[in-house]
Amino acid sequence: MGSLSALNHPLQYPTARRDVSVIDDYHGVKIADPYRWLEDPDAEEVKEFVQEQVTLTESVLKTCDTREKLREKITKSFDHPRYYAPFKRGNKYFYFYNTGLQAQDVLYVQDCLEGEPEVLLDPNGFSKDGTVSLNTLSISEDAKYLAYGLSTSGSDWITIKVMHVENKIVEADTLNWVKFTSISWTHDSKGFFYSRYPAPKEGENFDAGTETNASLYHELYYHFVGTDQAEDILCWRDPENPKYMFGAGVTDDGKYLLLYITESCDPVNKVYYCDMSAFSDGLEGFRGRTDLLPFVKLIDNFDAQYQHIANDDTEFTFLANKDAPKYKIVRVDLKDPGSWIDVVSESEKDVLESACAVNGDKMIVSYLRDVKYVLQIRDLKTGSLLHQLHIDIGSVTGISARRKDSIVFISFASFLTPGIIYQCNLDTEVPDMKIFREITVPGFDRTEFQVNQVFVPSQDGTTIPMFIVARKNIKLDGSHPCLLYAYGGFNISITPSFSVSRTVLTRHLGAVFCIANIRGGGEYGEEWHKAGSLARKQNCFDDFISASEYLVSAGYTQPKKLCIEGGSNGGLLIGACINQRPDQFGCALAHVGVMDMLRFHKFTIGHAWTSDFGCSDKKEEFGWLIKPWEQHPETTHSVPIYDAVDC
């Protein structure tokens, strides 16, 4: 891009001090860690080093003569209204809206779909510098209260506040030390369930947001509106299993509380339930008591994932992957917890992504078919197919409805579709589906572009899907800059989505943008995920490298014009690939990558990632983690690497 590619002198990177005295012994293997000092983000030496990196980055970007032009084009394209699907609580509708360049979306409320909307919560006013954001929210069943969580500077820690919806008055309630939580109201609107960690002990030096301590001893609480957090009811904890994390949800009938227990990022969980209707004094009867809620263990092992869809009294319907790596829908009666039946069997080829109970006796289910969404209406009781809902090739980004609703809102997007919200009426004999709102981007003409999906053989012959977005009728002469993105981990599927910035690159710089759906993700179910994790993590790197080789051989680009990008687990992917094949890439964007594969589990929530990576504390898994390095101990080419570069 511009003169960035014309840099004709090596960059003078800040000198990183090497401490050769730090050597760890992993099962008899000595590993030097000369940069251990960089693990302390609060140390002055670390702060100075980071600032030197920032200064270097800024000095390089100043030489890019197209940067301001790109900023202008991207800013102009971003400056358009964006709506999100409405959702109903009580007799009101709520939805998020952004006028264009607002840093955060604003929550609106209206009495009906045709009513006059009012601003309920504007996160843009939380702080002058925009560093306080809205992390999560939940509205009570009668739409009386809004509970919302605020995050500062991108931290996982949030502070929960409560607002009275009618008069928009923020209550005094303030809940701290909250992380990795949902908010679920009881139907009497007296309060809600949430998850938190214990407050630090007196005298502990703990700065929530910059600390790197492991997150341990999650707990589930219930908060009564109008009371101090110290009075909250401790509903569940498990001190014998400090890595467990707890999430809870109240069923649509308001009778049961479901407790979901996870230990890692694997798609497996335990499920307990509590019949709240059995409490003679309600949850108030637990005030001041030390015993936990009387949960019953329905699923008490980590061998599969279960997500609640609906219940009719004691009959519960779940989306699950028990003996079904592509997922299925199952049912159980709490009176006979050992007997499960299949309502919708596992598909041979398609992955069952989600299921939502709607209009009383129906459900909307979404499948992923070769990384493209398929929508169906099925009978909730029998699972039988009632209707296909026709959508374009792309992604269903959200389904907004509950079981009591006959009107469903479906959010859709694709590489060439900025966003459509469909309104689907299920009261008619044939579902009536129409466009409720559509997002338009100024200056964007989808007819200028083309999207192709190709299937590329990886090193072991496995076929890898890849989307390629380019200007229409480009010449395959290897002349184009190319951006290749992938994630490849934790059962996460990367499906078509619209990107203003990438569209600008394609339109104005002739760039080709690609997504490789490599193994490790969830695009073809749990087997696809497992094929790119633990001892088989190298498959992810092989898939990605094979995708890049295809782009070169097919004439889309050439190695010096090929930029690769990934974040978090995808950042690890980028780090591995530039070490294994530095000759194949001209630039790398590794955003917040998991890079220290021998020590990541010691910090924050890193212990949960061992389900995908393994853990160096175990001898066999240490072998998996060190193997890619042993195969590629040094590189002979230089690849510019940027971490979250703004260009």
Side-chain angles (χ1 to χ4, degrees):
M1 280 183 278
S3 58
L4 253 183
S5 61
L7 289 172
N8 54 11
H9 57 85
L11 298 178
Q12 297 300 312
Y13 287 98
T15 301
R17 176 175 62 85
R18 289 178 61 86
D19 182 355
V20 296
S21 67
V22 181
I23 299 177
D24 294 316
D25 187 325
Y26 291 93
H27 317 286
V29 179
K30 298 294 195 299
I31 303 290
D33 192 356
Y35 305 112
R36 180 73 55 83
W37 58 275
L38 281 167
E39 289 182 357
D40 182 3
D42 296 319
E44 288 303 317
E45 185 180 14
V46 174
K47 292 179 180 178
E48 291 174 6
F49 179 76
V50 171
Q51 184 54 50
E52 289 173 355
Q53 294 276 6
V54 171
T55 301
L56 173 65
T57 299
E58 291 175 345
S59 71
V60 173
L61 292 177
K62 286 179 181 178
T63 69
C64 179
D65 56 15
T66 59
R67 189 183 185 208
E68 287 307 314
K69 295 177 183 178
L70 282 174
R71 186 193 301 277
E72 179 185 343
K73 294 293 185 182
I74 291 174
T75 301
K76 184 178 180 180
S77 296
F78 262 116
D79 193 8
H80 66 272
R82 294 186 293 280
Y83 291 89
Y84 299 84
F87 58 96
K88 190 177 183 182
R89 292 294 182 272
N91 60 354
K92 298 180 182 296
Y93 282 92
F94 301 83
Y95 68 94
F96 282 98
Y97 171 70
N98 193 305
T99 58
L101 295 179
Q102 290 176 289
Q104 299 186 54
D105 303 321
V106 179
L107 181 64
Y108 285 78
V109 60
Q110 54 191 146
D111 291 331
C112 62
L113 289 176
E114 298 77 24
E116 186 69 25
E118 298 179 6
V119 173
L120 179 60
L121 187 67
D122 185 356
N124 297 289
F126 289 154
S127 61
K128 291 182 179 179
D129 60 0
T131 57
V132 178
S133 62
L134 182 64
N135 177 282
T136 186
L137 65 82
S138 180
I139 295 166
S140 62
E141 188 71 13
D142 58 3
K144 183 178 181 181
Y145 292 110
L146 161 68
Y148 58 96
L150 302 180
S151 167
T152 301
S153 300
S155 173
D156 287 330
W157 292 104
I158 67 172
T159 299
I160 295 180
K161 302 289 291 183
V162 178
M163 174 189 287
H164 197 286
V165 172
E166 196 63 38
N167 56 27
K168 302 179 181 61
I169 293 177
V170 178
E171 307 290 337
D173 309 52
T174 302
L175 310 184
N176 296 310
W177 305 109
V178 181
K179 191 195 288 194
F180 309 134
T181 189
S182 56
I183 299 173
S184 187
W185 289 85
T186 46
H187 283 206
D188 56 14
S189 297
K190 292 182 178 180
F192 53 84
F193 296 95
Y194 71 100
S195 305
R196 55 165 290 187
Y197 285 96
K201 296 178 182 178
E202 188 175 347
E204 283 186 343
N205 183 17
F206 194 88
D207 182 13
T210 64
E211 87 298 337
T212 57
N213 311 57
S215 300
L216 302 172
Y217 300 105
H218 214 212
E219 299 171 332
L220 178 70
Y221 278 86
Y222 183 82
H223 174 74
F224 286 96
V225 174
T227 66
D228 189 88
Q229 186 176 14
E231 300 176 39
D232 289 356
I233 296 171
L234 175 60
C235 301
W236 192 257
R237 64 179 174 183
D238 189 346
E240 294 183 1
N241 293 284
K243 296 180 181 179
Y244 280 10
M245 291 180 286
F246 307 111
V250 177
T251 54
D252 283 346
D253 59 8
K255 181 177 179 180
Y256 293 96
L257 176 67
L258 292 179
L259 176 68
Y260 297 96
I261 303 173
T262 58
E263 185 178 28
S264 69
C265 293
D266 248 359
V268 296
N269 60 273
K270 298 183 179 184
V271 181
Y272 299 171
Y273 68 90
C274 178
D275 184 356
M276 295 186 293
S277 67
F279 302 156
S280 57
D281 298 322
L283 286 166
E284 287 92 341
F286 287 85
R287 288 179 184 261
R289 289 168 52 174
T290 58
D291 53 327
L292 304 176
L293 295 189
F295 282 99
V296 178
K297 299 177 180 180
L298 179 62
I299 306 293
D300 197 30
N301 51 62
F302 290 123
D303 68 344
Q305 183 180 55
Y306 297 84
Q307 300 174 16
H308 173 252
I309 298 173
N311 72 290
D312 290 292
D313 196 18
T314 59
E315 279 195 347
F316 277 69
T317 304
F318 291 92
L319 176 69
N321 60 6
K322 174 68 172 175
D323 301 321
K326 291 184 176 63
Y327 291 82
K328 61 183 178 180
I329 296 175
V330 296
R331 182 170 296 133
V332 66
D333 194 320
L334 300 183
K335 297 175 183 177
D336 186 14
S339 298
W340 293 74
I341 62 170
D342 288 356
V343 180
V344 177
S345 299
E346 179 188 22
S347 169
E348 182 179 345
K349 295 182 179 180
D350 302 337
V351 181
L352 181 54
E353 282 282 294
S354 68
C356 175
V358 293
N359 201 28
D361 59 353
K362 298 180 179 66
M363 57 182 168
I364 291 187
V365 300
S366 66
Y367 284 93
L368 203 57
R369 178 178 298 166
D370 281 332
V371 207
K372 299 176 287 287
Y373 276 81
V374 175
L375 273 183
Q376 300 175 345
I377 305 292
R378 288 182 175 267
D379 186 277
L380 176 61
K381 189 68 175 178
T382 66
S384 60
L385 177 62
L386 301 177
H387 303 281
Q388 295 274 3
L389 295 180
H390 298 288
I391 57 173
D392 201 355
I393 295 175
S395 301
V396 174
T397 57
I399 297 175
S400 175
R402 293 191 296 173
R403 190 171 182 181
K404 64 179 68 175
D405 299 328
S406 60
I407 301 295
V408 179
F409 295 95
I410 300 166
S411 300
F412 173 84
S414 71
F415 292 117
L416 304 182
T417 305
I420 295 176
I421 301 171
Y422 292 103
Q423 180 177 337
C424 185
N425 185 358
L426 299 179
D427 267 342
T428 56
E429 184 175 347
V430 177
D432 178 22
M433 191 162 165
K434 61 183 180 181
I435 294 178
F436 177 69
R437 284 178 178 139
E438 184 170 7
I439 296 172
T440 58
V441 175
F444 172 72
D445 181 359
R446 63 178 295 157
T447 63
E448 296 179 5
F449 305 88
Q450 64 185 34
V451 179
N452 296 320
Q453 186 183 34
V454 297
F455 294 85
V456 179
S458 186
Q459 185 172 305
D460 63 358
T462 302
T463 301
I464 309 301
M466 178 166 59
F467 290 103
I468 303 174
V469 184
R471 288 188 67 95
K472 188 165 288 185
N473 301 320
I474 65 166
K475 293 182 179 180
L476 299 182
D477 56 4
S479 65
H480 312 287
C482 182
L483 179 62
L484 173 60
Y485 177 90
Y487 185 77
F490 298 96
N491 199 41
I492 294 173
S493 302
I494 307 298
T495 60
S497 62
F498 186 81
S499 168
V500 163
S501 57
R502 289 165 178 166
T503 301
V504 168
L505 291 177
T506 301
R507 184 182 185 193
H508 295 283
L509 293 178
V512 177
F513 166 60
C514 310
I515 286 182
N517 298 109
I518 62 178
R519 283 173 284 186
E523 288 87 350
Y524 290 100
E526 184 59 11
E527 291 174 340
W528 192 254
H529 167 219
K530 292 300 184 186
S533 63
L534 300 175
R536 294 184 281 185
K537 189 65 179 175
Q538 181 62 39
N539 284 337
C540 301
F541 315 145
D542 291 342
D543 294 353
F544 193 68
I545 291 169
S546 295
S548 72
E549 290 174 335
Y550 170 85
L551 292 170
V552 173
S553 65
Y556 284 99
T557 190
Q558 51 188 287
K560 69 179 182 180
K561 293 191 173 187
L562 177 55
C563 175
I564 54 175
E565 180 183 19
S568 190
N569 171 76
L572 157 65
L573 168 74
I574 301 307
C577 288
I578 60 176
N579 277 282
Q580 294 186 13
R581 285 294 306 277
D583 60 304
Q584 185 65 20
F585 316 110
C587 180
L589 302 174
H591 306 290
V592 293
V594 185
M595 298 299 192
D596 189 343
M597 302 313 297
L598 301 183
R599 289 175 57 78
F600 71 87
H601 62 287
K602 298 178 180 292
F603 307 101
T604 61
I605 198 62
H607 58 79
W609 308 338
T610 60
S611 58
D612 247 53
F613 300 145
C615 179
S616 62
D617 291 344
K618 300 177 181 179
K619 185 175 182 179
E620 181 186 15
E621 297 178 10
F622 166 74
W624 304 340
L625 292 164
I626 202 67
K627 187 175 181 180
W629 181 86
E630 290 177 334
Q631 291 176 329
H632 307 271
E634 60 185 45
T635 62
T636 57
H637 296 74
S638 176
V639 179
I641 308 169
Y642 304 95
D643 184 359
V645 168
D646 174 18
C647 62

